[in-house]
């Protein structure tokens, strides 16, 4: 008996030793072929750069060709465009109808699934990249600096839109879902603080040169340009002017210059472009082109308010807007639609158009406004006329009158922004709100109510997060 | 023989003679008793003689030449006479003895004249034989009788006997505890090998448990078993089909009658909280090897196997049912805990047939039969249909136009096709042939089998599913019986040649649909209107082809290290591979469809599993009890690889099977691969005190690669105990109660069936950005993903009455699954809308009562009658869910209710005034929304079970099996969702009882072409999501009838046949059910019902 016990004990001890030493290793499986773990992604500069490219790609990407517009791929242009006075809808059955009528339900699918959700998804991705780069032993110090700066740029850009569309919002800065799932709304000022911090970091750590042959990844000037915009929104006129100047003069005309031909402004070859976002994958170049360009009745016609705002001889009215005449039941009607991008869908493998995220004319207009606010009226007019001069090619050029007062000049700048930046990244909607003109301008719309200036926080999230509060005027 | 050897021999002979004399001188001096007591094993005959000589005082005289090398294998003689003792010693030897005075003279046997003659001319002479048990060991003391006559011989200690009988004699060999066996002596018979099979109480039948075998009598756990013989009675190609209704606590449900389709198997209720994430399928182990595919579908592209996402081709379609010896279903904690994290949903062990010792046997079995659909709804004929359509337009006050009433306006109103009859009304022919060779010696037994099975379909055209299979089993024991080897190998290949769609779905075509044009070719778009109603006969051109192969191999090496200690290891491999394609040529498509082009899909799926399990087992006695300790480890890897290629743009149907015919931009491909590793150390201690008190502890420490690094390992264990109270002194001699046992078990198992890599913070790629690859996080990282645990409690009472003639078992169980793994909804501010996580604190409870009764109603004489009955009363409920109302499941589930509850509006019948279906508007807002919903019931069966009766009279055997279920199911009226009777779809004749005039009270609404408002409270649409959509779908089905006749042995002996049996089998012969409009199992008149199969066959053993 005893001898058996010894055998059993020995066998048992042996088996346990064997399994304990072998098993931990044994149940570690190799990575799946179609997935990579964080650890592997951030092993080298090149793979980490793929993750950063993914951030830009996600901003404009979509999961399928026919799925709804997502993030900056069109939802912002359209939702903000119809919410303001730039765009109208040709059919009340359109998914943006609640935006157009300024009566968005808190369970609106586009609001939740195409704006709120994808934007927070990109923010998660930026947080994942920032966290992982910080921990990564494999990525070089210069690589870390460059990539973290790009990720922070993308995070700032996304928070910029969220805070402007929704007001006080939750601000996840980590990847811990347990923490993030119960985050409360925090005041917009705190969101802006993060945006400024991120953009300053980006500006300090990005190089002036672009990576790659096109302007698809943020450089120092892209960060400065977005920073200039944020300072403008924050009414920090001095900084807005300084940063705009940094962009306009810092790189020189060899890098950034207005494209004299308006039809080339939005091409990938445009020298005016500070940052473009490229639609990954499909043969669709921009969602803007896909959504706006039509051969019949366009889905998103330009509003009369915008169409009738152009000065005489403004070439933008003909270059950037196209008109279709459609005859229904013997009655002909003209439909005007945005034509900044010329292609509805791509035609070949060489992409000629990508969505413009930041371009030089906005920077001139930022500086003009910042200077006007500081009562530097002559310089402000000079900047304004740089933009006007390209669009209005009459001789002599009708320069902005030097006697225009500060308020008058600000109105002219606001008008110039309307006709220059229409249907680009929701500028009109955000401008009306930040300048306090929204109620005045939009009360012409039938259902306008002041609370419509903020979009509702999606009910789906409020249902799942007890600390999340709805914006006033929504249930 | 050379000179040297001869000299040595002569010398030896002289010496022997001297020695013999010495013995005589020495032993003659004393007087001795003439009774012998001998206990020897493998002793040289010479030694035995010496011992006898010592005891008896008799001397031996022999020539040592005759004794050279002779041994007595085993002798256990107590106080026998000298003569008997000598007889026993010399039994089987070619020696005889003569006693003269006190001397025993040993001589070589003189052959009799008869013997010499018969040797010369080859007549039947003395016949030697051996009687062995099922393990190949000789049975000592078995009686040999001439049939109907006297005992003529008994077997010796090695089970051998020698007899002298004339040719043609029928022998009857009997042994206590074994079935009587007959054997025929033929002209050429010289050696008989008779293998007896045990005739045992059901209680003592051996079941396969986890890592051991045991009988029900001494089991502490709940294991149900189906024997291969029961499986063989059923003409089914998928062994899972044969389990329907047979196992208490297990629901097997058939979704489709298409050959090869998988069946759903669920043991003791639903425990998976999130149906889309985790599986509730049990663990399937084939000859010790976990099946790589399990009960999952193996096809990657869509086939005709059913409408659901889990419906598909089953790996079981590649397994030959006839090769299965038994299927054991392990249910409670005690039985399943040894499978640890894989045992939460129960374990099904499939064991293949093994060879038996004895002479080589050839067994041939051929079956042929026909299958037809059982209950398809009778649809309207053209006259009724046209009338229905006209009435619908009149009711709707809509003017029929070419576009909304093409069937009335553009189509021939007199044409009629019975689509049910045309599309699924054909006879499916089944042919099956089996050939096995088995036999072996005490040390080696083998079984080799090959089989072919072909199953047609009830669709028109020549389509079928074929299976070829091969099976090999070898058992080998070393000379010293310390080392054994068991090898089992199985190969099956299943070839499907089917259409890509179940044609039964087309029974809803208007009966005046035009099938052929004037030239006899397939017709399309009568009236030149494209309405997406395609010619179902063209669908036949859309083919689904698959070749699936299964390999399963297992080798077990066992070494008896010490008397009580065995070490062994098993090495197993299982692979399922499926190569498939679905072709949609232009000829299968409507010529008016847009973007017309041929397209095809190709799929290749490979699932491999290997497992190595080293074990050590100790068996010994401690005190009055028997101790069995098992210690083992598992190393298991499952890897899968799949490839799908879709190709479109074929301009010619001829090239559709190739990729080269597709347009270059029309080819898209995707692939998947995964690895799952599983590792464990397990142990079991079983202690049995005098067969009265039995206790069983099992424990397992498991590691699974499916979880994050911190949660990969976990412990599982169980305790089971049994008290066989009938072995207690006061009950031991009871005339009534022959067996009584109380058992209980408690323990935990786990569930890791969530697929691979769910814990990984995975990054995936999606297109290029700036001309380079991108990566983005696919999902949220959840490092806390851990096991879902299932705690199982069971108490069972087992009773046997009147010498186990009536056996009763009753079990109550309670399984609580906690921390279910779900895909949980999150606010989107986290970046994602769901995360795979455990719902901590949530518990799902499955409770139930299982009863089985086995009764040997008649056992005496030529007539026997046995009845088996099983019954299950299950209950499923959500036990705990903290803050359920705040979760994303607040509408789906409710505390105290089944996970399968039906939450819908209250159906209030057909409004006699409007003729429309109405649902109750609880909150009075004129809308039917979830606010108006209530709990209607659940889709769980209320109870289910089966009863089988087996009669045998002389050589006839008849058995039938009835299965019953009480359940709710989908009502026929909702089968064609969104299309109310009156729209351009045919409906069952049942619809004729519709509402016609105000005041009519009926259960079918008026004919209409409109489905009603989605949130409205009246009409077809709201009705489809109300309690009215569910109806009683209970049924009693005559699942199986089997009748066989054994041809008498004496007729067969002439042609050297051992046995011959004719049989007739019937499956799904009829069903008794109140369910209207189709089959109560499939619950849908647009789907193929289970098939009724009748086959006949012949089984021969040579």
């Amino acid at each position: 008996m005893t001898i058996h016990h010894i055998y059993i004990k020995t066998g048992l001890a042996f088996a346990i030793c064997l399994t304990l030493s072998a098993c931990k290793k044994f149940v570690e499986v190799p990575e799946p072929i179609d997935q990579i773990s964080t650890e592997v992604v951030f092993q080298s500069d090149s793979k980490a750069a793929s993750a950063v490219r993914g951030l830009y790609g996600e901003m404009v990407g979509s999961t399928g060709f026919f799925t709804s517009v997502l993030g900056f791929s069109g939802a912002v242009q359209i939702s903000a465009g119809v919410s303001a006075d730039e765009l109208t809808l040709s059919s009340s059955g359109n998914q943006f109808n609640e935006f157009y009528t300024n009566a968005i339900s808190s369970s609106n699918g586009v609001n939740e699934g195409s704006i709120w959700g994808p934007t927070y998804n990109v923010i998660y991705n930026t947080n994942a990249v920032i966290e992982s780069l910080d921990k990564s032993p494999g990525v070089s110090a210069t690589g870390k600096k460059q990539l973290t700066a790009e990720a922070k740029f993308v995070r700032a850009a996304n928070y910029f839109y969220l805070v402007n569309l929704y007001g006080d919002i939750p601000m996840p800065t980590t990847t811990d879902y347990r923490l993030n799932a119960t985050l409360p709304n925090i005041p917009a000022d705190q969101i802006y603080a993060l945006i400024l911090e991120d953009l300053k970091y980006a500006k300090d750590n990005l190089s002036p040169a672009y990576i790659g042959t096109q302007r698809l990844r943020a450089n120092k000037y892209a960060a400065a340009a977005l920073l200039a915009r944020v300072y403008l929104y924050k009414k920090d006129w001095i900084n807005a002017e300084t940063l705009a100047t940094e962009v306009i003069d810092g790189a020189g005309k060899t890098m950034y210059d207005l494209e004299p031909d308006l039809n080339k402004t939005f091409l990938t070859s445009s020298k005016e472009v500070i940052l473009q976002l490229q639609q990954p994958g499909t043969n669709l170049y921009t969602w803007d082109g896909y959504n706006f360009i039509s051969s019949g009745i366009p889905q998103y016609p330009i509003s009369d308010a915008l169409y009738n705002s152009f000065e005489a001889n403004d070439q933008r009215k003909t270059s950037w807007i196209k008109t279709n005449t459609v005859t229904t039941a013997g009655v002909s009607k003209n439909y005007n639609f945005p034509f900044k991008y010329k292609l509805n869908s791509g035609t070949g493998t060489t992409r000629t158009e990508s969505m413009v995220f930041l371009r030089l004319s906005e920077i001139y207009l930022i500086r003009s406004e910042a200077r006007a606010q500081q009562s530097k009226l002559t310089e402000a007019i000079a900047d304004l006329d740089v933009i006007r001069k390209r669009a209005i090619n009459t001789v002599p050029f009708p320069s902005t009158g030097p006697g225009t007062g500060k308020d008058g000049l600000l109105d002219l700048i606001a008008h110039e922004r309307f006709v220059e930046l229409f249907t680009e990244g929701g500028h009109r909607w955000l401008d009306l709100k930040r300048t306090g003109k929204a109620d005045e301008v939009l009360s012409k719309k039938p259902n306008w109510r002041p609370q419509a200036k903020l979009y509702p926080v999606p009910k789906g999230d409020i249902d799942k997060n007890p600390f999340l509060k709805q914006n006033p005027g929504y249930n | 023989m050379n000179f040297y050897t001869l000299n040595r021999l002569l010398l030896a002979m002289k010496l022997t003679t001297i020695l013999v004399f010495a013995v005589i001188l020495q032993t003659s001096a004393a007087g001795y008793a003439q009774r012998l007591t001998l206990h020897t094993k493998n002793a040289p005959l010479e030694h035995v003689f010496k011992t006898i000589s010592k005891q008896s005082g008799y001397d031996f005289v022999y020539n040592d030449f005759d004794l050279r090398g002779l041994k007595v294998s085993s002798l256990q003689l107590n106080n026998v006479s000298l003569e008997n003792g000598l007889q026993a010693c010399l039994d089987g030897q070619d020696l005889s003895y003569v006693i003269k005075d006190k001397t025993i003279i040993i001589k070589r046997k003189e052959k009799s004249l008869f013997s010499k003659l018969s040797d010369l001319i080859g007549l039947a002479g003395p016949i030697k034989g051996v009687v062995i048990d099922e393990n190949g060991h000789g049975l000592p003391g078995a009686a040999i009788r001439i049939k109907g006559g006297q005992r003529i011989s008994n077997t010796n200690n090695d089970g051998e006997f020698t007899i002298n009988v004339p040719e043609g004699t029928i022998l009857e060999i009997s042994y206590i505890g074994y079935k009587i066996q007959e054997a025929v002596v033929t002209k050429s018979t010289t050696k008989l090998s008779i293998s007896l099979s045990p005739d045992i109480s059901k209680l003592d039948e051996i079941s396969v448990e986890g890592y051991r075998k045991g009988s029900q009598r001494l089991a502490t756990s709940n294991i149900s078993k189906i024997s291969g013989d029961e499986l063989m009675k059923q003409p089914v190609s998928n062994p899972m089909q044969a389990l329907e209704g047979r196992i208490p606590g297990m629901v097997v449900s058939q979704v489709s009658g298409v050959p090869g389709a998988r069946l759903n198997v669920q043991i003791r209720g639903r425990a998976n909280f999130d149906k889309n994430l985790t599986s509730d399928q049990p663990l399937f182990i084939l000859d010790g090897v976990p099946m790589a595919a399990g009960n999952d579908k193996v096809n990657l592209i869509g086939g005709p196997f059913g409408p659901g996402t889990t419906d598909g081709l089953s790996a079981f379609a590649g397994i030959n049912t006839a090769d299965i010896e038994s299927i054991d279903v392990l249910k409670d904690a005690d039985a399943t805990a040894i499978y640890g994290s894989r045992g939460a949903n129960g374990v099904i062990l499939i064991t293949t047939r093994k060879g038996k010792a004895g002479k080589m046997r050839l067994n041939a079995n051929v079956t042929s039969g026909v299958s037809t659909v059982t209950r398809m709804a009778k649809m309207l004929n053209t006259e009724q249909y046209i009338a229905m359509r006209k009435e619908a337009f009149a009711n709707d006050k809509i003017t029929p136009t070419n576009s909304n009433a093409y069937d009335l306006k553009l189509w021939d109103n007199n044409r009629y096709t019975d689509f049910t009859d045309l599309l699924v009304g054909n006879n499916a022919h089944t042919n099956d042939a089996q050939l096995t060779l088995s036999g072996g010696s005490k040390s080696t037994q083998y079984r080799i089998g090959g089989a072919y099975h072909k199953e047609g379909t009830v669709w028109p055209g020549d389509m079928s599913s074929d299976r070829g299979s091969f099976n090999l089993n070898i058992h080998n024991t070393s000379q010293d019986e310390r080392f054994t080897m068991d090898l089992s190998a199985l190969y099956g290949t299943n070839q499907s040649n089917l259409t890509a769609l179940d044609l039964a779905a087309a029974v809803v075509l208007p009966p005046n649909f035009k099938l052929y044009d004037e030239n006899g070719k397939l017709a399309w778009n009568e009236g030149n209107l494209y309405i997406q109603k395609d010619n179902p006969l063209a669908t036949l051109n859309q083919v689904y082809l698959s070749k699936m192969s299964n390999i399963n191999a297992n080798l077990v090496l066992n070494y008896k290290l010490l008397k009580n200690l065995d070490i062994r290891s098993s090495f197993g491999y299982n692979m399922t591979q499926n190569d498939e394609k679905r072709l949609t040529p232009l000829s299968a498509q409507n010529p008016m469809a847009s973007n017309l082009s041929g397209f095809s899909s190709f799929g290749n799926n490979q699932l491999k599993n290997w497992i190595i399990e080293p074990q050590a087992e100790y068996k010994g006695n401690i005190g009055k009890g028997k101790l069995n300790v098992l210690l083992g480890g598992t190393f298991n890897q499952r890897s899968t690889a799949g490839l799908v290629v879709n190709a479109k743009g074929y301009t010619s149907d001829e090239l559709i099977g190739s990729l080269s015919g597709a347009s270059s931009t029309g080819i898209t491909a995707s692939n998947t691969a995964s690895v799952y590793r599983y590792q464990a150390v397990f142990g079991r201690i079983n202690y049995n005190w005098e067969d009265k008190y039995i206790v069983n502890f099992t424990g397992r420490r498991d590691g699974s690669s499916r979880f994050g690094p911190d949660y990969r390992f976990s412990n599982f264990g169980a305790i089971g105990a049994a008290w066989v109270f009938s072995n207690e002194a006061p009950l031991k001699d009871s005339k009534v109660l022959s067996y009584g046992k109380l058992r209980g078990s408690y323990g935990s198992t786990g569930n890791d069936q969530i697929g691979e890599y769910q814990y990984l913070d995975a990054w995936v790629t999606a297109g290029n950005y700036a001309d380079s690859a991108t990566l983005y996080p696919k999902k949220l990282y959840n490092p806390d993903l851990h096991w879902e645990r299932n705690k199982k409690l069971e108490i069972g009472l087992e009773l046997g009455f009147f010498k186990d003639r009536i056996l009763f078992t009753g079990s109550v169980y309670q399984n609580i699954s906690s921390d279910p793994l779900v895909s949980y909804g999150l606010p989107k501010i986290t970046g994602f809308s769901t995360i795979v996580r455990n719902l901590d604190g949530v518990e799902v409870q499955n409770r139930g009562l299982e009863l089985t009764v086995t009764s040997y109603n008649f056992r005496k004489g030529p007539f026997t009658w046995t009845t088996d009955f099983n019954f299950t009363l299950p209950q499923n409920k959500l036990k705990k869910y903290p803050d359920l109302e705040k979760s994303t499941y607040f509408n789906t589930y409710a505390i105290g209710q089944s996970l399968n509850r039906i939450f819908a509006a209250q159906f209030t019948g057909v409004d006699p005034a409007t003729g429309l279906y109405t649902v109750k508007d609880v909150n009075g807002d004129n809308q039917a929304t979830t606010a108006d919903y209530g709990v209607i019931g659940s889709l769980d069966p209320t109870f289910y079970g089966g009863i089988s009766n087996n009669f045998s009279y002389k050589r006839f055997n008849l058995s039938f099996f009835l299965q019953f279920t009480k359940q709710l199911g989908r009502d026929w009226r909702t089968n064609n969702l969104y299309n109310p009777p009156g729209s351009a779809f045919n409906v069952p004749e049942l619809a004729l009882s519709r509402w016609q005039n105000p005041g009519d009270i009926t259960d079918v609404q008026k004919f209409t072409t409109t489905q009603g408002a989605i949130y409205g409270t009246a009409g077809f649409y709201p009705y489809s999501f109300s309690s009215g959509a569910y109806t009683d779908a209970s049924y009693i089905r005559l699942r199986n009838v089997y009748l066989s006749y054994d041809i008498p042995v004496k007729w067969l002996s002439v042609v050297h046949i051992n046995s011959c049996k004719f049989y007739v089998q019937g499956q799904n012969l009829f069903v008794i059910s109140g369910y209207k409009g189709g089959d109560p199992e499939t619950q849908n008149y647009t789907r193929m019902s289970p098939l009724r199969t009748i086959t006949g066959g012949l089984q021969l053993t040579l």
Side-chain angles (χ1 to χ4, degrees), chain B residues 360-658:
Chain B
M360 186 193 283
R361 299 223 160 176
L362 184 73
N363 194 306
N365 194 346
V366 286
T367 315
S368 184
V370 174
S371 303
T372 52
V373 288
T374 41
R375 269 166 80 111
M376 293 299 288
K378 176 83 182 127
M379 308 297 276
L380 298 185
N381 64 27
T382 300
E383 196 186 327
Q384 294 166 318
Y385 173 81
I386 297 290
M388 169 185 84
R389 291 282 286 153
K390 286 181 175 160
E391 189 177 321
F393 283 111
N395 284 342
D396 293 348
K397 300 189 172 62
I398 295 175
T399 315
T401 65
N402 282 356
S403 63
N404 70 18
Y406 46 83
D407 48 341
L408 298 178
K409 293 255 172 184
L410 300 173
W411 296 4
D412 184 343
N413 279 2
N414 295 315
R415 190 190 295 120
Y416 174 56
T417 309
D418 181 343
F419 280 103
T420 311
D421 188 52
L422 175 75
L423 300 174
V424 291
N426 299 281
N427 289 337
H429 293 276
T430 304
N431 288 299
D432 188 284
Q434 310 268 345
L435 196 67
T436 58
L437 208 59
S438 69
S441 62
K442 207 165 110 181
S443 62
T444 306
Q445 293 114 46
Y446 59 89
R447 182 180 186 274
I448 303 171
Y452 177 74
H453 181 90
K454 185 181 172 84
E455 201 170 334
T457 71
V458 294
W459 299 323
D462 186 23
M463 281 169 289
S464 67
S465 179
D466 298 37
R467 177 180 62 216
S469 61
F470 174 77
N471 162 256
L472 170 71
N473 269 294
I474 298 172
H475 169 84
N476 192 24
T477 311
S478 69
Q479 196 79 40
D480 60 4
E481 298 193 341
R482 286 173 87 89
F483 185 75
T484 60
M485 180 211 78
D486 280 282
L487 173 73
S488 84
L490 210 86
Y491 174 76
T493 174
N494 185 76
Q495 197 163 335
S496 301
N497 175 7
L498 305 166
T499 70
L501 300 162
D502 183 359
L503 292 178
V507 299
V508 295
L509 274 180
N512 62 336
F513 184 89
K514 188 177 185 180
L515 287 170
Y516 296 100
D517 65 13
E518 295 64 35
N519 304 322
K521 291 190 171 156
L522 293 178
W524 294 97
N525 311 312
E526 187 178 17
N528 223 18
L529 184 72
Y530 175 45
I531 36 103
Q532 296 183 336
K533 281 197 166 72
D534 290 349
N535 194 324
L537 296 179
T539 326
L540 287 171
N541 295 339
Q542 194 177 338
V543 293
Y544 175 83
L545 303 165
S546 93
K547 281 179 191 166
M548 178 178 70
S549 51
N550 269 327
I551 289 176
N552 193 78
N554 193 35
L555 175 71
V556 183
L557 301 175
N558 188 92
Y559 185 70
K560 195 179 264 303
L561 192 66
L562 295 167
K563 190 179 146 216
N564 293 327
L565 184 67
D566 280 43
I567 53 167
R568 76 176 73 94
S569 186
S570 73
F571 306 86
Y573 179 75
N574 179 287
M575 187 197 73
T576 298
Q577 179 167 359
N578 190 36
D579 219 330
E580 56 185 335
K581 51 187 168 190
R582 191 185 61 217
L583 309 176
T584 311
L586 288 164
S587 65
Q589 299 176 60
N590 195 316
M592 282 172 84
S594 58
N595 294 327
L596 205 60
S597 100
F599 52 95
S600 55
S601 299
F602 304 84
N604 193 311
N605 197 13
Q606 200 172 47
L607 304 109
K608 292 180 195 164
N609 214 341
W610 62 255
I611 185 166
I612 297 175
E613 297 196 297
Q615 292 162 44
E617 187 176 12
Y618 169 85
K619 285 179 202 162
N621 297 315
I622 291 182
K624 283 182 171 174
K626 282 179 265 184
L627 178 71
N628 181 311
V629 181
L630 175 78
L631 207 71
T634 302
F635 295 86
N636 182 199
Q637 174 176 305
R638 175 185 187 263
S639 50
T640 64
L643 174 69
V644 173
V645 177
N646 289 305
K648 61 183 179 189
Y650 290 92
T651 48
S652 156
D653 282 357
E654 279 67 40
L655 292 170
I656 198 135
S658 79

Side-chain angles (χ1 to χ4, degrees), chain A residues 1 4 7-8 11-12 15 19 22-24 26-38 41-42 47 50-51 53-54 56-58 112 116-117 120-121 124-125 128-129 170 172 175 177-178 180-181 183 216-217 276-278 280-281 461 463-465, chain B residues 562 564-565 610 618 621-622 631 635-636 671-673 675-681 703-705 712-713 757 759-764 766-782 784 825-832 835 837 886 888:
Chain A
M1 193 64 71
H4 293 156
Y7 273 107
I8 290 167
L12 195 133
T19 38
C23 59
K24 290 246 154 142
F26 184 80
V27 293
E28 281 168 19
V29 289
E31 298 282 333
I33 52 164
D34 55 349
Q35 300 179 14
I36 308 181
S37 74
T38 303
V41 172
F42 293 93
K47 270 181 279 193
S50 298
R53 281 193 295 271
Y56 298 104
E58 276 286 274
E112 178 173 350
W116 177 272
Y120 271 111
N121 177 242
Y124 173 87
N125 297 358
V129 168
T175 55
Y177 78 92
R178 292 163 297 192
N180 294 342
L183 286 177
L216 297 170
R217 288 173 65 179
Q276 276 181 324
L277 297 177
Q278 187 189 65
D461 269 25
D463 286 351
K464 288 170 197 151
N465 177 358
Chain B
L562 295 167
N564 293 327
L565 184 67
W610 62 255
Y618 169 85
N621 297 315
I622 291 182
L631 207 71
F635 295 86
N636 182 199
N671 67 339
T672 54
V675 176
Y676 162 57
R677 286 215 186 121
Y678 172 86
Q679 203 274 339
V681 53
S704 163
S705 64
R712 279 188 182 147
F713 289 87
Y757 311 117
Y759 67 89
L760 269 185
D761 50 341
W763 293 64
V764 294
N768 281 1
Y769 184 84
D771 298 326
S772 300
T774 60
L775 286 167
Y776 67 92
K778 191 188 179 193
K779 56 176 184 278
L780 282 171
Y781 174 43
N782 185 359
D784 294 341
L826 283 177
K828 291 197 168 72
I829 55 169
T830 58
F832 290 86
I835 185 163
R837 59 170 270 203
K886 286 188 198 153
T888 47

Side-chain angles (χ1 to χ4, degrees), chain B residues 685-716:
Chain B
I685 301 166
N686 183 288
Y687 189 66
N688 174 345
W689 182 271
E690 290 192 310
D691 288 355
K692 268 188 225 165
Y693 312 104
I694 302 141
V695 62
N696 196 41
F697 297 95
T698 36
R700 185 157 186 134
R701 182 164 173 78
D702 266 22
S704 163
S705 64
R706 286 182 173 144
F707 299 97
D710 295 343
Y711 293 91
R712 279 188 182 147
F713 289 87
S714 192
N715 299 324
F716 302 94

Side-chain angles (χ1 to χ4, degrees), chain B residues 702-874:
Chain B
D702 266 22
S704 163
S705 64
R706 286 182 173 144
F707 299 97
D710 295 343
Y711 293 91
R712 279 188 182 147
F713 289 87
S714 192
N715 299 324
F716 302 94
I719 176 168
W723 173 35
V724 187
F725 53 84
S726 54
N727 283 351
E728 297 287 353
L731 288 167
K732 204 157 178 133
D733 299 315
S734 161
K735 291 243 163 71
V736 180
L737 187 78
S738 49
Y739 165 66
K741 182 172 84 176
L742 191 65
R743 60 173 168 78
S745 71
Y746 180 74
S748 71
T749 50
N751 185 6
D752 70 349
Q753 294 194 38
I754 50 166
E756 319 309 335
Y757 311 117
Q758 292 283 6
Y759 67 89
L760 269 185
D761 50 341
W763 293 64
V764 294
T765 185
N768 281 1
Y769 184 84
D771 298 326
S772 300
T774 60
L775 286 167
Y776 67 92
K778 191 188 179 193
K779 56 176 184 278
L780 282 171
Y781 174 43
N782 185 359
D784 294 341
L785 208 56
H786 59 90
W787 303 94
E788 181 177 319
R789 232 165 234 287
N790 195 330
K791 291 198 191 76
K792 301 176 180 178
L793 173 69
E794 157 137 357
I795 294 166
L797 178 68
E798 301 178 6
L799 300 171
F801 302 97
F802 311 111
K803 294 184 180 167
D804 298 348
R805 273 183 66 167
I806 298 171
L807 292 173
F808 163 88
T809 68
S811 320
V812 286
Y813 65 87
Q814 174 179 292
N815 294 352
I816 293 177
S817 333
S818 53
D819 300 359
L821 290 158
V822 296
S823 184
Y824 187 79
L826 283 177
K828 291 197 168 72
I829 55 169
T830 58
F832 290 86
S833 47
T834 59
I835 185 163
V836 174
R837 59 170 270 203
N838 297 80
L839 283 181
D840 292 330
V842 172
E843 291 184 354
V844 178
Q845 177 183 280
N846 275 293
R847 263 187 193 169
L849 168 71
E850 295 171 6
L851 300 175
T852 65
V853 178
T854 301
S855 168
Y856 299 90
N857 306 329
F858 278 97
R859 236 176 166 175
K860 278 185 178 157
F863 180 67
T864 67
W865 173 25
T866 320
T867 303
D868 274 294
F869 172 75
N870 79 74
F871 178 80
T872 307
L873 198 66

